[in-house]
Amino acid sequence: MLHHTVLVVLVVWMTVDHASSAAAPSPQIEDEELSHTEAANTVEMTEKLNSTNFEQLEKLRIRSTYVARSCNDIKDRYNEQEDGLYSLTTANGMVYQTFCDMTTAGGGWTLVASVHENSIYGRCTVGDRWSSQQGNNADLPDGDGNWSNRNTFGAAEGATSDDFKNPGYYDIVAQDMSVWHVPNNFPLEHWNLAAILRYHTENRFLHLYGGNLFQLFKQYPVRYNVGSCSNRGPSVPIVYDHGDRESTRILYGPNSRTEFEPGFITFRAINKERAAMAICSGVKPITGCNTEHYCIGGGGYFHPEQCGDFPSFDWDRLEGEQGWSASKEMTEAAVLLFYR
Amino acid sequence: MLHHTVLVVLVVWMTVDHASSAAAPSPQIEDEELSHTEAANTVEMTEKLNSTNFEQLEKLRIRSTYVARSCNDIKDRYNEQEDGLYSLTTANGMVYQTFCDMTTAGGGWTLVASVHENSIYGRCTVGDRWSSQQGNNADLPDGDGNWSNRNTFGAAEGATSDDFKNPGYYDIVAQDMSVWHVPNNFPLEHWNLAAILRYHTENRFLHLYGGNLFQLFKQYPVRYNVGSCSNRGPSVPIVYDHGDRESTRILYGPNSRTEFEPGFITFRAINKERAAMAICSGVKPITGCNTEHYCIGGGGYFHPEQCGDFPSFDWDRLEGEQGWSASKEMTEAAVLLFYR
Amino acid sequence: MLHHTVLVVLVVWMTVDHASSAAAPSPQIEDEELSHTEAANTVEMTEKLNSTNFEQLEKLRIRSTYVARSCNDIKDRYNEQEDGLYSLTTANGMVYQTFCDMTTAGGGWTLVASVHENSIYGRCTVGDRWSSQQGNNADLPDGDGNWSNRNTFGAAEGATSDDFKNPGYYDIVAQDMSVWHVPNNFPLEHWNLAAILRYHTENRFLHLYGGNLFQLFKQYPVRYNVGSCSNRGPSVPIVYDHGDRESTRILYGPNSRTEFEPGFITFRAINKERAAMAICSGVKPITGCNTEHYCIGGGGYFHPEQCGDFPSFDWDRLEGEQGWSASKEMTEAAVLLFYR
């Protein structure tokens, strides 16, 4: 391949034609990956990336032959200890690939979903699969209904840039959950280190609710007008893997901090307008009923200026950390949901 | 695993924290699966579900190795007689999984599509893939065009909770069709028993139209203003597998019943406003041209208060069985399409 | 199978019941495939299509076992010389199928994406994944952001009837690009011959930009207001595989022809309203800044009457070839993007 490198260097100056000799100005670029890009601009690095590592690829392809219903099965049956993509099979025989966390607290965690806010300005528009893509509409109290149906969407490698839900969400019978908040667009191989918050439960609470969120949300529907603020679902204590109670607190807005207690994950919150949310990540609402500012997912109807996968994380429109607005870090991070 | 059970029982009372001691009120819950959920709430049952049946999983994974273009091929080549998911391969080599009905009338039926009404209030909005997701628009006479293109969407396990179309729709060369109306959100393993209507053709009519719906709808485009009410496509007699002519009749609205004759499946109907529909399931229009109340799918333009995958099943807004409104059972059931 | 043929002929006249004895009128049908359909109407041809070619299917399924990151790897490792679908694996182990062009200029080209205009009337509505599905909105300068994220959508067999993006888009580290403009809805097996324009680069320019479009567009964001008309990205000379400079010229509108020079592919153009486009296929803008009439993809904000995957190819609403309107051939062809 070396002669290619030489050829490139020669050809470049002759034929690539920029509109201006300087690179395009990009003052708004804040993407975490740009440093990688810059490094990759050297011909040497590109050349190295360019040669496929077949040995590694063969190793990864062996995982396609595994027969397991969860990452926990894979850990037990195949003694795999490496984070990454594996093939799973549902009880009905549907085969799919997802990410397994094989290291946290003993490993065996299956990524089953991610909640990604594609536009904080959208009000239950395209891309709001975890609330509604039908507009804010009281006639559709369940919205898209994805918290309690068998629809699937997205792909594991895109879980931080779009909503993701795989068959494991409804198929795996699990005991505990783990949640990672990973900045948008981060690649899979850096999710663990890039996460701004990671935690898991360890009291096997899912046993009580049918073994997964699909079943839990049948009992506690994420539905407009299903109950009042006092009718929320379970709050489960969490063990932190990255972050702590104090760091959880400051990820949400100052006003929100007066309403919740950190150190829990809460399911099916209801706000004062009787809108339902699916998950309050890292916290338990204690006083007040303004959960739309710090809980995610939802039914199909909210206050007219709310509605969306992160229903009202931007309420005070002040780029976060003011009033009811969540921090920019939180608003621009996908929420990855794991089972074990 | 038994020690887990014990641990759970101990932990539960200490750590799971409900907003109220009673379960959330859920007066609106009418989901057919709640009885399963309730059973699953006992720790014993969850524990049992929790242990993966690897023997069964291995058996299902063997099906991934099958080389066949249709469920009929699988029946003939591999002598499989069990309903469930199998792997198929298109003539071009695309591999996909779908549901095979191996029991009805000799078996060998391939699920190629499902038409699911995600919101009877939507007017050709997100989720109306079998009509249009672009709004009611005369400039787009074909709407999304999915009846006669090679787009695919959804997954077999989600076929009763979202639209579904796999490569078999355009790839398989078939002779007959089978149709199942299955209540929304029912799981694959109960589709057959849960269906409110099931029938098939047995005159090999698809031979005359290119072997599948993709080809049939090239000849009879599902397109606004392509013709008048008298220009509808073929009506084919059906054999009932569940239900009969009388039960078909009462699934649609009282006014609709005066227009059609049950015992047929009809393709590409056109109403008096020159809107086109794809399939009139179970019936043949005889008098009148108000097919939008009992035929499904469509082009991109209808009467302004119609348009959608079930274009106007709710016309009289009376929860069904009044005027032109179809029954609630029909409106809330996905239409599964099979080839053989 | 012969007895089936006989049976069909007998049954047809008895049971298939048309609304009118003549076939439906279809004056608007202009689909290129109708001639195939008509041929297939004869029972003999359908019968022949109906018998699965298992030998061919087995051959295609062997390709599922290949371990390769790109079509170029497959060419080198497995000595395959036939165009068609193959299985690839990303560096992370994600397995997917796509089309390989194994013949053009030595072969080894991987189809990684297609840009398909689903409605020239839409203004960044559903289906405009390469610009925005959120409406024309200055608050979302990146629109859906798919030029520089890891989302995937669509399937290879549907690449001419819907947008398509597979993991190869961000995973493959390549040197050159190839582009095919294929009329909408053409089947994979005829793409090569049906294309109205095909070309490739051969100066290995991708080396300079991180090896693929995902990396290139990190450096040159497809984002509203990121720069002015003079800040466009690289223009790379092309080698024609079908068509030439003159045929490229006349695919765009008369007014557009005064602005560009054919014989190049240009990345990240910016128009006078500071809207960004991703690719100017076949041309390099030279004078003027009205690139929205001949460049595709885009950020989330344009002139209010523009926005979309082909942002303003229909500006003069004259069915093409008038003023700024591109030709009907160009507007109704999907743009297929390949790497090598």
Side-chain angles (χ1 to χ4, degrees):
Chain A
M1 293 294 275
L2 274 178
H3 66 289
H4 286 187
T5 311
V6 175
L7 192 54
V8 168
V9 171
L10 291 174
V11 170
V12 163
W13 297 104
M14 292 187 287
T15 60
V16 176
D17 177 24
H18 290 269
S20 55
S21 60
S26 44
Q28 291 145 296
I29 303 177
E30 294 172 21
D31 196 293
E32 297 78 0
E33 294 183 314
L34 271 183
S35 56
H36 300 275
T37 305
E38 282 156 12
N41 280 347
T42 63
V43 172
E44 294 75 18
M45 185 149 173
T46 311
E47 191 63 26
K48 183 176 143 219
L49 288 169
N50 200 19
S51 56
T52 301
N53 181 340
F54 288 109
E55 199 178 334
Q56 169 70 1
L57 231 49
E58 297 272 9
K59 195 192 90 181
L60 294 173
R61 278 300 291 271
I62 286 171
R63 297 179 182 171
S64 315
T65 64
Y66 290 175
V67 178
R69 199 166 158 194
S70 68
C71 296
N72 210 25
D73 283 350
I74 286 179
K75 185 175 67 84
D76 290 348
R77 275 197 119 189
Y78 301 101
N79 203 27
E80 286 276 4
Q81 297 172 4
E82 197 184 349
D83 293 358
L85 296 174
Y86 292 86
S87 282
L88 301 179
T89 306
T90 70
N92 282 327
M94 185 75 88
V95 180
Y96 64 102
Q97 289 188 288
T98 195
F99 177 79
C100 294
D101 166 11
M102 295 306 207
T103 46
T104 302
W109 299 95
T110 310
L111 176 68
V112 299
S114 78
V115 183
H116 171 263
E117 179 53 76
N118 66 317
S119 163
I120 200 69
Y121 304 102
R123 294 282 161 261
C124 286
T125 48
V126 177
D128 285 329
R129 295 179 196 81
W130 292 109
S131 46
S132 179
Q133 301 183 101
Q134 301 291 320
N136 202 1
N137 186 351
D139 285 334
L140 288 173
D142 293 282
D144 279 18
N146 285 320
W147 292 102
S148 51
N149 68 24
R150 290 179 190 79
N151 292 355
T152 52
F153 37 82
E157 284 196 300
T160 57
S161 49
D162 204 359
D163 290 332
F164 172 51
K165 183 183 169 195
N166 65 37
Y169 181 86
Y170 56 80
D171 179 69
I172 294 172
V173 183
Q175 301 172 324
D176 281 302
M177 281 191 63
S178 158
V179 179
W180 294 11
H181 292 254
V182 180
N184 287 341
N185 297 319
F186 253 90
L188 181 149
E189 57 272 28
H190 300 316
W191 286 348
N192 188 318
L193 288 173
I196 58 172
L197 175 64
R198 291 197 296 114
Y199 61 82
H200 66 276
T201 69
E202 54 177 30
N203 69 0
R204 298 184 170 82
F205 78 103
L206 282 173
H207 258 304
L208 296 179
Y209 302 99
N212 55 47
L213 293 179
F214 174 79
Q215 297 292 352
L216 185 151
F217 289 121
K218 293 260 177 222
Q219 294 172 61
Y220 294 93
V222 183
R223 179 182 295 156
Y224 170 64
N225 206 24
V226 77
S228 67
C229 174
S230 63
N231 300 118
R232 63 169 192 275
S235 287
V236 182
I238 58 176
V239 174
Y240 283 98
D241 298 305
H242 177 81
D244 54 27
R245 287 174 183 234
E246 183 52 23
S247 72
T248 301
R249 243 172 58 77
I250 62 172
L251 286 171
Y252 296 105
N255 293 4
S256 302
R257 290 171 211 163
T258 66
E259 285 206 356
F260 63 65
E261 181 186 342
F264 296 84
I265 180 171
T266 301
F267 301 94
R268 217 284 302 275
I270 296 178
N271 70 9
K272 63 182 176 199
E273 291 92 0
R274 302 179 75 83
M277 281 130 274
I279 292 178
C280 309
S281 179
V283 302
K284 172 168 72 173
I286 300 285
T287 62
C289 297
N290 300 290
T291 52
E292 70 276 16
H293 305 304
Y294 54 94
C295 304
I296 64 172
Y301 189 59
F302 282 80
H303 176 288
E305 290 177 49
Q306 300 172 354
C307 215
D309 284 353
F310 291 5
S312 188
F313 274 43
D314 65 329
W315 182 250
D316 284 289
R317 308 287 153 81
L318 294 167
E319 292 276 313
E321 305 212 40
Q322 305 277 342
W324 291 104
S325 289
S327 67
K328 193 173 160 64
E329 291 92 318
M330 201 62 163
T331 303
E332 299 181 356
V335 185
L336 276 53
L337 307 177
F338 296 81
Y339 291 160
R340 181 175 72 181
Chain B
M1 294 294 274
L2 275 178
H3 66 288
H4 287 187
T5 310
V6 175
L7 191 56
V8 169
V9 172
L10 292 174
V11 170
V12 162
W13 297 105
M14 292 188 288
T15 61
V16 176
D17 177 24
H18 291 268
S20 55
S21 60
S26 43
Q28 290 146 296
I29 303 175
E30 294 172 21
D31 196 292
E32 296 79 359
E33 294 183 314
L34 271 182
S35 56
H36 300 275
T37 306
E38 283 156 10
N41 280 346
T42 63
V43 172
E44 294 73 20
M45 184 150 174
T46 311
E47 191 64 25
K48 183 178 143 219
L49 289 169
N50 199 19
S51 56
T52 301
N53 181 340
F54 288 109
E55 200 179 333
Q56 170 70 2
L57 231 48
E58 297 272 11
K59 195 191 89 181
L60 294 173
R61 278 299 292 271
I62 286 170
R63 297 180 182 171
S64 316
T65 64
Y66 291 174
V67 178
R69 198 165 158 195
S70 69
C71 296
N72 209 23
D73 284 349
I74 285 178
K75 185 176 67 84
D76 291 348
R77 275 196 118 189
Y78 301 100
N79 203 27
E80 287 274 5
Q81 297 171 4
E82 197 184 351
D83 293 357
L85 296 174
Y86 292 85
S87 282
L88 301 179
T89 306
T90 70
N92 283 327
M94 186 76 87
V95 181
Y96 64 101
Q97 289 189 288
T98 194
F99 177 80
C100 294
D101 166 11
M102 294 308 206
T103 48
T104 301
W109 299 96
T110 309
L111 175 67
V112 299
S114 79
V115 184
H116 171 263
E117 180 53 77
N118 65 319
S119 163
I120 200 69
Y121 304 103
R123 294 283 161 260
C124 286
T125 48
V126 177
D128 285 329
R129 296 178 195 81
W130 292 109
S131 46
S132 178
Q133 300 183 102
Q134 300 291 321
N136 202 1
N137 185 350
D139 284 334
L140 289 173
D142 292 283
D144 278 18
N146 285 320
W147 292 102
S148 52
N149 67 25
R150 290 179 189 79
N151 292 356
T152 51
F153 38 82
E157 284 197 300
T160 58
S161 49
D162 204 359
D163 290 333
F164 173 50
K165 184 184 171 196
N166 66 37
Y169 181 87
Y170 57 80
D171 179 70
I172 294 172
V173 183
Q175 301 172 325
D176 281 303
M177 281 191 64
S178 159
V179 179
W180 294 13
H181 292 254
V182 180
N184 287 340
N185 297 320
F186 253 90
L188 181 148
E189 57 272 28
H190 301 317
W191 287 347
N192 189 317
L193 287 173
I196 58 173
L197 175 63
R198 290 196 296 115
Y199 61 82
H200 66 277
T201 71
E202 55 177 30
N203 69 0
R204 299 184 170 80
F205 77 104
L206 282 172
H207 258 304
L208 296 179
Y209 303 100
N212 54 47
L213 293 180
F214 173 79
Q215 296 293 351
L216 185 152
F217 289 121
K218 294 260 178 223
Q219 294 172 62
Y220 295 93
V222 184
R223 179 182 295 156
Y224 170 64
N225 206 24
V226 76
S228 67
C229 173
S230 63
N231 299 118
R232 63 168 191 276
S235 287
V236 182
I238 59 176
V239 175
Y240 284 97
D241 299 304
H242 178 81
D244 54 26
R245 288 174 182 235
E246 183 52 23
S247 72
T248 302
R249 246 172 57 77
I250 61 173
L251 286 171
Y252 296 105
N255 293 4
S256 301
R257 291 171 210 164
T258 66
E259 284 206 357
F260 63 65
E261 182 186 343
F264 296 85
I265 179 170
T266 300
F267 300 95
R268 215 286 299 276
I270 295 178
N271 70 10
K272 63 183 175 199
E273 292 94 359
R274 302 178 76 82
M277 282 130 274
I279 293 178
C280 309
S281 179
V283 303
K284 171 168 72 172
I286 299 285
T287 61
C289 297
N290 300 290
T291 52
E292 70 275 17
H293 305 303
Y294 54 94
C295 304
I296 63 171
Y301 190 59
F302 281 79
H303 176 288
E305 291 176 48
Q306 299 172 355
C307 214
D309 285 353
F310 290 6
S312 188
F313 274 42
D314 65 329
W315 182 250
D316 285 288
R317 308 289 153 80
L318 295 166
E319 291 278 313
E321 305 212 41
Q322 303 277 344
W324 291 104
S325 289
S327 68
K328 192 173 159 63
E329 291 90 321
M330 202 61 164
T331 303
E332 299 182 355
V335 185
L336 276 54
L337 307 177
F338 297 81
Y339 291 160
R340 181 175 70 182
Chain C
M1 297 293 274
L2 274 178
H3 66 288
H4 286 187
T5 311
V6 175
L7 191 56
V8 168
V9 172
L10 291 174
V11 169
V12 162
W13 297 104
M14 292 188 287
T15 61
V16 176
D17 177 22
H18 291 269
S20 56
S21 60
S26 44
Q28 291 146 296
I29 303 177
E30 294 170 22
D31 196 293
E32 295 80 359
E33 294 184 313
L34 270 183
S35 56
H36 300 275
T37 306
E38 281 156 12
N41 280 347
T42 64
V43 172
E44 295 74 20
M45 184 149 174
T46 310
E47 192 64 26
K48 184 177 143 220
L49 288 169
N50 200 19
S51 57
T52 301
N53 181 340
F54 288 109
E55 199 178 334
Q56 170 70 2
L57 231 48
E58 297 271 10
K59 195 191 89 181
L60 293 173
R61 278 300 292 271
I62 287 169
R63 297 179 183 172
S64 316
T65 64
Y66 291 175
V67 178
R69 200 165 157 195
S70 69
C71 296
N72 209 25
D73 284 349
I74 285 178
K75 185 176 65 86
D76 290 348
R77 276 197 119 189
Y78 301 101
N79 203 26
E80 287 276 4
Q81 296 171 6
E82 197 184 350
D83 293 358
L85 296 174
Y86 292 86
S87 282
L88 301 179
T89 306
T90 70
N92 283 327
M94 185 77 87
V95 181
Y96 64 102
Q97 288 189 288
T98 194
F99 177 79
C100 295
D101 166 10
M102 294 308 206
T103 46
T104 303
W109 298 96
T110 309
L111 175 67
V112 298
S114 79
V115 183
H116 170 264
E117 179 54 76
N118 65 318
S119 163
I120 200 70
Y121 304 103
R123 295 283 161 259
C124 286
T125 48
V126 176
D128 285 329
R129 296 178 195 80
W130 292 109
S131 46
S132 179
Q133 301 183 101
Q134 299 292 320
N136 202 1
N137 185 350
D139 284 333
L140 288 173
D142 293 283
D144 278 19
N146 284 321
W147 293 102
S148 52
N149 67 25
R150 290 180 190 78
N151 292 355
T152 52
F153 37 83
E157 284 195 300
T160 58
S161 49
D162 204 359
D163 291 332
F164 173 50
K165 183 183 170 196
N166 65 37
Y169 181 86
Y170 56 80
D171 179 69
I172 294 172
V173 184
Q175 301 171 325
D176 280 303
M177 280 191 64
S178 159
V179 179
W180 294 11
H181 292 254
V182 180
N184 287 341
N185 297 320
F186 252 90
L188 181 148
E189 57 273 28
H190 300 317
W191 288 347
N192 188 316
L193 287 173
I196 58 172
L197 175 63
R198 291 197 295 115
Y199 62 82
H200 66 277
T201 70
E202 55 177 31
N203 70 358
R204 299 184 170 81
F205 77 105
L206 281 172
H207 259 304
L208 297 179
Y209 303 100
N212 54 47
L213 293 180
F214 173 79
Q215 296 292 352
L216 185 151
F217 289 121
K218 293 260 177 222
Q219 293 172 63
Y220 295 92
V222 185
R223 178 182 296 155
Y224 170 64
N225 206 23
V226 77
S228 68
C229 173
S230 62
N231 299 119
R232 65 168 190 277
S235 286
V236 182
I238 58 176
V239 175
Y240 283 97
D241 299 304
H242 177 80
D244 54 27
R245 287 173 183 236
E246 184 52 22
S247 72
T248 302
R249 245 172 56 78
I250 61 172
L251 286 170
Y252 296 105
N255 293 5
S256 301
R257 292 172 210 162
T258 65
E259 285 206 357
F260 64 65
E261 182 186 340
F264 296 84
I265 180 172
T266 300
F267 301 94
R268 216 282 304 276
I270 295 178
N271 71 8
K272 64 182 174 198
E273 292 92 1
R274 302 179 77 81
M277 281 130 274
I279 292 178
C280 309
S281 180
V283 303
K284 172 168 71 173
I286 300 286
T287 61
C289 297
N290 300 290
T291 52
E292 70 276 16
H293 305 303
Y294 54 94
C295 304
I296 63 172
Y301 189 59
F302 282 79
H303 176 288
E305 290 177 49
Q306 299 173 354
C307 213
D309 284 354
F310 290 5
S312 187
F313 274 43
D314 65 330
W315 182 251
D316 285 289
R317 309 287 154 80
L318 294 167
E319 291 277 313
E321 305 214 38
Q322 303 278 344
W324 292 103
S325 288
S327 68
K328 193 172 158 63
E329 291 91 321
M330 201 61 164
T331 304
E332 298 182 357
V335 185
L336 275 53
L337 308 177
F338 297 80
Y339 292 160
R340 181 175 70 182

